[in-house]
Amino acid sequence: MHASQGRSAGLGLALASAFAFGGSGVAAKPLIEAGLDPLHVVWLRVTGAALVMLPVAWRHRELLRRKPALLAGFGLLAVAGVQACYFASISRIPVGVALLIEYLAPALVLGWVRFVQRRPVTRAAALGVVLAVAGLACVVEVWSGLSFDLLGLLLALGAACCQVGYFVLSDQGSDEARPADPLGVIAYGLLFGSLVLTAVARPWGMDWAVLGGSADMGGTPAPAWLLLGWVVLIATVLAYVTGVISVRRLSPQVAGVVACLEAVIATVLAWVLLREHLSGPQILGGVVVLVGAFIAQSSAPKASSGPVAGSEPVRPEERLPSGRAAS
């Protein structure tokens, strides 16, 4: 596949992933309001997706021998860590503040690439991150309810760090001549994540009867099982599959900036389906996020002897065994 075609496909997959992830809150919120604990919704989401991906896990069972650390890390950070830290943080600080802190992840990814992998960063990629974060501040209206609860802020920052792990580990899976299949990584990541969340959420105390009833979605009754099906199949399975593949076609930092669109998509869907109206600053912030994502993904390589963060992804044969790009 031509490099530009691969990049376009990667961008399309990243957008699909952002849309799928962004739709999770719209379906999950009615379930929570119907009586389910937020952590129980997270457990249902991850465990249901793990069961769907079980045949894929069996097909790629050799990954347990080849990449046990990658699978465990993906499950702990990219699946369980992000979800658990985020839901714990919003119990102590406003949702908007927690969401903004979590989506500082693209900036943290840029720091990882620059200072840990020691790869140069394009100005366009850096500008895209700055614009995306500034736009997110408007989308979530961070000024509307700041609460400096130290533990809550640390939990939200933990969610951001776990999201960095999602992008970095998704990229690390392709660093060999025989890369780990992304579907296998996702399948085992969900399985590991489900085990961790089982200990945290303790689902045996869940009110299972809620799933047999209906939930209110913007004044319209919707079957609870249908909403759960959306959360599991679209907002989890499809979201993770398209997200991991997009990281491999783009780069962690570019895919991370595009993923910021999740907040915009979530806000728009809540406006349409849950009647949660957008304010002027939120609309402006969404436009800024879009501009930032576009600038980052369209950044051109600098003249350099090595790969540049924010430019075309490094081919597997150009990587060192450790995943650090060869100079």
Side-chain angles (χ1 to χ4, degrees):
M1 179 181 291
H2 191 272
S4 62
Q5 293 177 327
R7 188 178 180 84
S8 297
L11 178 59
L13 289 169
L15 291 172
S17 180
F19 178 83
F21 274 125
S24 63
V26 175
K29 185 173 181 178
L31 292 174
I32 294 172
E33 292 178 342
L36 286 179
D37 184 270
L39 278 179
H40 289 160
V41 175
V42 175
W43 179 83
L44 286 168
R45 173 185 186 179
V46 174
T47 303
L51 292 174
V52 172
M53 297 291 285
L54 200 56
V56 178
W58 176 255
R59 180 179 179 184
H60 297 283
R61 56 190 179 277
E62 80 282 353
L63 286 177
L64 285 173
R65 175 181 53 81
R66 290 178 49 220
K67 297 283 188 179
L70 173 63
L71 302 181
F74 195 87
L76 180 63
L77 296 176
V79 177
V82 172
Q83 302 294 334
C85 286
Y86 174 70
F87 277 90
S89 70
I90 63 176
S91 69
R92 306 183 68 92
I93 61 176
V95 173
V97 178
L99 189 61
L100 176 62
I101 295 175
E102 180 183 346
Y103 274 89
L104 290 176
L108 298 178
V109 169
L110 208 64
W112 171 275
V113 171
R114 180 66 184 89
F115 299 109
V116 178
Q117 294 185 331
R118 298 185 182 279
R119 291 163 52 190
V121 174
T122 62
R123 291 181 180 178
L127 176 61
V129 169
V130 171
L131 287 175
V133 172
L136 279 170
C138 296
V139 171
V140 302
E141 295 186 325
V142 67
W143 57 82
S144 65
L146 285 174
S147 176
F148 292 100
D149 183 286
L150 180 59
L151 180 57
L153 293 175
L154 289 176
L155 286 167
L157 184 60
C161 292
C162 288
Q163 196 173 76
V164 171
Y166 164 72
F167 292 114
V168 172
L169 289 172
S170 297
D171 185 54
Q172 291 292 317
S174 61
D175 64 355
E176 297 179 349
R178 187 188 172 196
D181 187 280
L183 293 179
V185 173
I186 295 165
Y188 279 104
L190 289 168
L191 285 171
F192 277 105
S194 176
L195 292 175
V196 173
L197 287 170
T198 297
V200 175
R202 294 178 288 183
W204 45 85
M206 181 169 54
D207 184 5
W208 293 90
V210 173
L211 297 178
S214 62
D216 179 72
M217 178 173 278
T220 303
W225 63 267
L226 183 61
L227 295 176
L228 180 61
W230 174 275
V231 170
V232 170
L233 297 177
I234 304 299
T236 308
V237 175
L238 179 63
Y240 274 107
V241 170
T242 53
V244 170
I245 296 175
S246 73
V247 171
R248 297 191 178 189
R249 290 182 179 272
L250 297 170
S251 61
Q253 70 280 0
V254 174
V257 174
V258 177
C260 287
L261 295 175
E262 177 189 335
V264 180
I265 293 167
T267 306
V268 172
L269 289 177
W271 184 15
V272 174
L273 299 177
L274 300 181
R275 304 295 188 266
E276 296 180 353
H277 296 291
L278 291 170
S279 66
Q282 285 179 308
I283 296 174
L284 177 61
V287 173
V288 174
V289 172
L290 287 171
V291 172
F294 176 79
I295 290 176
Q297 68 86 21
S298 61
S299 60
K302 289 180 179 179
S304 173
S305 58
V308 179
S311 63
E312 292 296 331
V314 185
R315 293 189 298 272
E317 62 269 20
E318 293 177 336
R319 299 176 185 266
L320 295 176
S322 64
R324 180 176 171 179
S327 59

